[in-house]
Amino acid sequence: MKSLLLIAVLSAFLAGCLSTQLPSIKGKGFALEEDEQRIWAQSKTEERKLDRSGLIYRDQELERYLNDLARRLVPTDIAATVPFTVRVVKDPSLNAFTYPDGSFYVHTGILASMDNEAQLATVFAHEISHVTHRHAVRQIRDMKNKTAFFATLGAMTGNYAVPLGALGALAAVTGYSRDLESEADTEGLRLMVDAGYDPRQAPQAMRHLLRDATEEERKESYFFGSHPRLKERLENFEELCRTRYAGRTGGIVNVEGYLRAVSPALLENARLDLKAGRFERARRSVGKYLTLHDNDAQAYFIQGETWRQEGGEGSIDKARESYLRAVSLDPAYPDPHRALGLTAYKQKDREQARREFERYLSLAPRASDRGHIEELLKALR
Amino acid sequence: MKRLLVALAILCLAGCGPWVKTEGPYSADPLNVAVDLPQGWMRQNTGKHILMTKDGVLLQVILIKRMDLTQEKQFQYTKKRVTGEMLPQEVAEVILDDFQSDTDNRNLQVEENVPATIGGNQGFKVRFSHGTELGLHYRKLCYGFLKDGWLYELLYSAPRRHYFDRDMDDFEKVVRSFRLVK
């Protein structure tokens, strides 16, 4: 009886089942499946919305650099079929995502956390592999199939015999997603190596993501989805480097070119991290920026703000040092004077506080917080 | 915007206190605040905050709340903390930073950030505008001050066009009437 029921259920299920075993995208002759066409159309709608959202970080030079990097990773025959384009999202969280049609969005947080081009290539190649291996349509089909399976089984057995229920189905789907992520890791690493990058930078990219997950006390990182866990993935990358790519030493790393290209985004990301109270991360971004732009007053000001706002032992001295450097680089920059005034005010150095506040207001007569500063000046006189 | 709707829905449902018509003096002892409520608005008091609206929470809302400075997680989006030693403008900046760290809030513009006295307490008044995920434009006015280890906040939020100006006087009257119970 049990086997008859099982056969009936499987027959009903398979009749409406869509294949999740799709070949990867190739060059000429490739055609989208019907449901895939709908997914691509939906992608376009969402991309338009995102592009108009005000969240996109606009920097033509940076976009050009990132698009060139993507082009180096995409196999030539596929590039003719899927036009990969990269945009940057103003968001300090470590995330990157690609729509099935090749539109790729990378957060400023990812750009700030990577040390070199090869590490970013790890992220890009992983995302490109999701597209070339048609993971979106495969996952959606898989979810649909599982839902159909459990609905059929439930209908025939009066629901109580459904082995997993909705949560079980979800777990199964999540498990499948894990396979897709692993596939994207393996394929991504292959693309990266084919493009001439040093594969040993891939585990290092994962270590940055792990560090972020630890600092943010997240169980898992955003990027690469939720499964497999980052540690497992790091181990996978390390294993691939030890085995498949054991002989591959050297390759492109490109620290300086990378930092030069992404440096404006580093400062933007530092500002976002500062607002979010992630002081250490903000300082790391500023630190990277300063390796190439040691004479940038804004960078020193942001660095000072991270110390002042974080507080703690010795932080005020470090903040003052950064503010003074900013002032020496650009005496007409108002913000460090305000910050120096606030630190002096709190340390009850009335004379310096008054001097700095007056300087601030003379440099920024229409400052939005003028009323507050005037109130403090009144108290100091 | 979705998060805003969810947050508002939670605010409305939290405690499931009834909506009642407002008017005249009102004292919320658990919050340690007393205010004169405007005529024609609906009020809900959950014990953690007082929420008021006239035409619905998406069209205008007045929120009065206080936060214990010792609580572990002070804000939803920023890890920064408000401490008792902060100057009013520093407190205002943390509130703005929290708001800005929510990616659903776009293009925040601070229009005014000045000292203010609320119920005899030295604090701040910040007016700012922002867009939402759905492309709506809101303006907000926030008063706040620190007292005895608590941050008190009075917030007014409405669509920038038409509603903000129309109902702002009602909010300002609430602010002028504000006092601490003890």
Side-chain angles (χ1 to χ4, degrees):
Chain A
M1 182 62 197
K2 268 186 187 174
S3 53
L4 277 178
L5 179 65
L6 190 62
I7 290 165
V9 168
L10 282 173
S11 305
F13 165 63
L14 290 171
C17 214
L18 287 163
S19 173
T20 59
Q21 298 304 311
L22 295 169
S24 59
I25 293 174
K26 296 283 178 220
K28 276 184 184 172
F30 168 75
L32 294 171
E33 304 257 325
E34 204 181 313
D35 53 343
E36 206 169 15
Q37 286 174 24
R38 288 195 296 274
I39 293 170
W40 279 44
Q42 180 62 30
S43 298
K44 292 272 178 249
T45 308
E46 290 182 20
E47 288 157 30
R48 276 195 293 272
K49 204 172 138 192
L50 187 54
D51 291 346
R52 286 197 305 260
S53 68
L55 290 174
I56 302 299
Y57 180 74
R58 309 277 179 195
D59 181 322
Q60 283 188 349
E61 266 186 53
L62 176 59
E63 279 186 9
R64 198 175 303 124
Y65 170 80
L66 297 174
N67 279 299
D68 284 349
L69 170 56
R71 259 190 293 279
R72 276 200 293 280
L73 292 162
V74 179
T76 324
D77 56 332
I78 295 174
T81 312
V82 185
F84 280 88
T85 54
V86 187
R87 288 183 188 81
V88 180
V89 179
K90 287 183 271 184
D91 191 320
S93 60
L94 271 60
N95 204 0
F97 52 95
T98 313
Y99 285 98
D101 63 348
S103 286
F104 179 21
Y105 293 84
V106 58
H107 284 196
T108 51
I110 283 272
L111 300 179
S113 67
M114 300 295 145
D115 295 324
N116 54 53
E117 189 172 298
Q119 288 174 12
L120 187 66
T122 309
V123 176
F124 274 35
H126 174 95
E127 289 300 321
I128 288 165
S129 298
H130 277 314
V131 176
T132 57
H133 287 67
R134 303 161 82 183
H135 285 173
V137 66
R138 284 167 62 188
Q139 177 140 340
I140 288 168
R141 283 184 176 187
D142 187 57
M143 287 167 76
K144 277 187 179 169
N145 289 345
K146 285 189 168 81
T147 309
F149 173 73
F150 290 123
T152 310
L153 184 63
M156 295 187 74
T157 58
N159 276 322
Y160 60 82
V162 175
L164 296 173
L167 285 174
L170 191 65
V173 169
T174 309
Y176 188 78
S177 181
R178 189 179 199 145
D179 292 343
L180 293 183
E181 295 293 354
S182 292
E183 184 177 55
D185 278 347
T186 309
E187 284 303 307
L189 192 57
R190 186 181 63 76
L191 290 180
M192 189 188 157
V193 171
D194 286 353
Y197 287 101
D198 183 350
R200 292 169 303 178
Q201 292 299 321
Q204 194 52 40
M206 295 304 296
R207 284 186 200 103
H208 289 313
L209 298 170
L210 259 175
R211 179 179 63 183
D212 174 70
T214 311
E215 282 176 1
E216 291 299 296
E217 294 167 356
R218 271 201 303 271
K219 285 180 184 162
E220 284 146 18
S221 169
Y222 290 132
F223 177 62
F224 284 26
S226 55
H227 285 279
R229 289 172 179 274
L230 283 168
K231 267 194 171 175
E232 277 178 41
R233 311 185 68 161
L234 170 60
E235 286 162 11
N236 287 345
F237 274 119
E238 287 173 338
E239 178 68 15
L240 283 167
C241 286
R242 270 196 306 270
T243 54
R244 192 177 300 179
Y245 302 107
R248 299 296 290 253
T249 51
I252 304 166
V253 175
N254 194 9
V255 178
E256 198 181 327
Y258 175 75
L259 289 179
R260 196 174 300 287
V262 304
S263 61
L266 292 177
L267 217 49
E268 173 72 18
N269 196 66
R271 285 193 193 94
L272 296 171
D273 270 331
L274 174 64
K275 284 184 189 303
R278 291 188 285 251
F279 302 114
E280 184 60 42
R281 271 176 55 169
R283 273 195 292 274
R284 275 204 298 269
S285 292
V286 172
K288 281 183 189 174
Y289 181 84
L290 285 172
T291 58
L292 287 180
H293 308 276
D294 192 32
N295 56 356
D296 189 304
Q298 281 191 45
Y300 282 105
F301 170 67
I302 294 170
Q303 189 181 56
E305 285 294 88
T306 65
W307 289 118
R308 182 177 71 85
Q309 294 184 27
E310 186 173 27
E313 203 181 323
S315 59
I316 292 300
D317 289 341
K318 288 176 188 162
R320 278 179 53 80
E321 198 180 313
S322 301
Y323 296 143
L324 289 171
R325 185 75 200 270
V327 168
S328 72
L329 288 165
D330 184 358
Y333 183 23
D335 295 9
H337 291 287
R338 174 188 181 274
L340 282 166
L342 286 172
T343 51
Y345 183 85
K346 291 204 166 179
Q347 291 179 321
K348 304 200 188 310
D349 184 346
R350 299 171 65 88
E351 185 49 37
Q352 201 206 343
R354 190 183 56 75
R355 212 171 42 238
E356 295 294 352
F357 285 148
E358 282 174 351
R359 181 86 179 122
Y360 170 63
L361 290 184
S362 73
L363 291 169
R366 297 166 83 177
S368 66
D369 64 344
R370 184 177 185 96
H372 285 294
I373 301 301
E374 282 175 339
E375 195 84 352
L376 293 174
L377 276 169
K378 250 188 250 172
L380 289 167
R381 280 174 189 139
Chain B
M1 190 63 188
K2 265 180 265 164
R3 266 186 256 171
L4 174 69
L5 290 173
V6 171
L8 287 169
I10 290 168
L11 278 176
C12 296
L13 294 171
C16 292
W19 285 92
V20 291
K21 280 196 171 176
T22 68
E23 197 174 344
Y26 177 71
S27 177
D29 291 347
L31 290 173
N32 190 34
V33 303
V35 285
D36 287 346
L37 299 176
Q39 195 178 13
W41 287 58
M42 300 292 283
R43 162 185 66 78
Q44 191 192 48
N45 180 4
T46 66
K48 290 183 177 174
H49 55 252
I50 304 168
L51 188 68
M52 284 177 276
T53 184
K54 202 155 129 185
D55 305 301
V57 288
L58 290 181
L59 295 182
Q60 76 283 99
V61 66
I62 294 174
L63 180 68
I64 302 172
K65 61 179 179 175
R66 70 171 185 168
M67 181 180 76
D68 182 352
L69 297 186
T70 61
Q71 73 187 48
E72 195 181 345
K73 187 173 165 59
Q74 289 189 340
F75 295 97
Q76 199 173 349
Y77 301 102
T78 184
K79 289 180 168 181
K80 288 184 184 180
R81 293 187 67 81
V82 168
T83 62
E85 299 76 41
M86 280 183 165
L87 297 166
Q89 68 261 45
E90 291 177 305
V91 178
E93 279 163 24
V94 176
I95 289 170
L96 288 170
D97 284 344
D98 181 57
F99 192 81
Q100 241 177 320
S101 295
D102 174 3
T103 49
D104 281 354
N105 298 323
R106 316 271 162 85
N107 303 321
L108 180 132
Q109 301 287 329
V110 178
E111 296 165 344
E112 190 182 17
N113 180 3
V114 293
T117 304
I118 308 109
N121 300 283
Q122 290 302 307
F124 62 85
K125 171 189 175 184
V126 182
R127 192 182 67 211
F128 58 100
S129 58
H130 67 94
T132 69
E133 195 186 13
L134 294 178
L136 303 172
H137 299 284
Y138 276 79
R139 181 168 279 148
K140 288 180 164 57
L141 187 54
C142 178
Y143 285 84
F145 64 93
L146 296 175
K147 179 81 174 175
D148 298 333
W150 294 87
L151 167 63
Y152 291 84
E153 268 182 87
L154 295 88
L155 176 76
Y156 168 58
S157 173
R160 207 161 59 187
R161 189 182 289 179
H162 182 62
Y163 287 96
F164 185 88
D165 289 340
R166 194 192 76 176
D167 299 315
M168 195 177 71
D169 282 350
D170 281 350
F171 174 62
E172 291 288 7
K173 281 179 197 161
V174 170
V175 175
R176 282 197 295 274
S177 71
F178 180 94
R179 65 183 174 80
L180 295 177
V181 174
K182 54 185 179 191

